[in-house]
Amino acid sequence: MILFVFSLPAAAQSGDAPFKSFEVLGHGTPMSPTFVFSEAYATSASPVIIAVPGRKLASADRTFRVSLQKHWLSVNVPTGLEFQSRGLVECGLKRESEPPFCDLYVFLEPGTNKEREYYIYVGNWP
């Protein structure tokens, strides 16, 4: 469960605007760090990056990774889309000394069967 959202982005993106950056406090543990989601298009070349302001992600942060991703999706994926799959893929973002991997989430638009993809960078996770 995510406890607090500092700046809530729009539920659905329109046009070519990137998804907005926002911060959250993680699961109800008193010492949980603040996590920040980057502004991004959620594409292979511009995936969402989850970070902790002021430091690199630590091994202990891994317990929050999937639930943070699910939180971002719950805020940004339009209602009505149907979850199809999640997988680890090589993405177009190449950062120094980090592997170029993303979790790819695929959703389906009912009626049109058009797939919508959302990329979340995982190369910065220990």
Side-chain angles (χ1 to χ4, degrees):
M1 171 196 273
I2 302 299
L3 293 177
F4 191 76
V5 177
F6 290 99
S7 173
L8 197 59
Q13 292 293 283
S14 61
D16 292 326
F19 293 96
K20 300 291 183 195
S21 175
F22 65 101
E23 294 182 344
V24 296
L25 288 176
H27 306 270
T29 58
M31 300 305 289
S32 177
T34 297
F35 292 93
V36 64
F37 297 95
S38 68
E39 180 173 87
Y41 289 94
T43 62
S44 177
S46 176
V48 175
I49 299 171
I50 302 171
V52 174
R55 69 166 172 82
K56 289 185 174 191
L57 292 170
S59 292
D61 297 329
R62 282 189 291 204
T63 60
F64 301 112
R65 189 177 107 189
V66 173
S67 60
L68 286 165
Q69 290 178 352
K70 287 179 179 180
H71 177 70
W72 186 92
L73 293 164
S74 74
V75 170
N76 290 291
V77 173
T79 57
L81 295 187
E82 297 174 1
F83 174 76
Q84 292 300 298
S85 64
R86 171 185 177 239
L88 183 65
V89 299
E90 188 169 336
C91 54
L93 180 65
K94 311 275 191 237
R95 292 178 20 156
E96 188 175 329
S97 71
E98 294 178 353
F101 293 114
C102 289
D103 278 333
L104 168 61
Y105 288 85
V106 180
F107 290 82
L108 190 66
E109 289 183 24
T112 65
N113 289 333
K114 179 181 176 187
E115 289 186 343
R116 291 210 196 169
E117 298 179 340
Y118 300 89
Y119 290 79
I120 302 177
Y121 186 68
V122 296
N124 62 327
W125 288 85

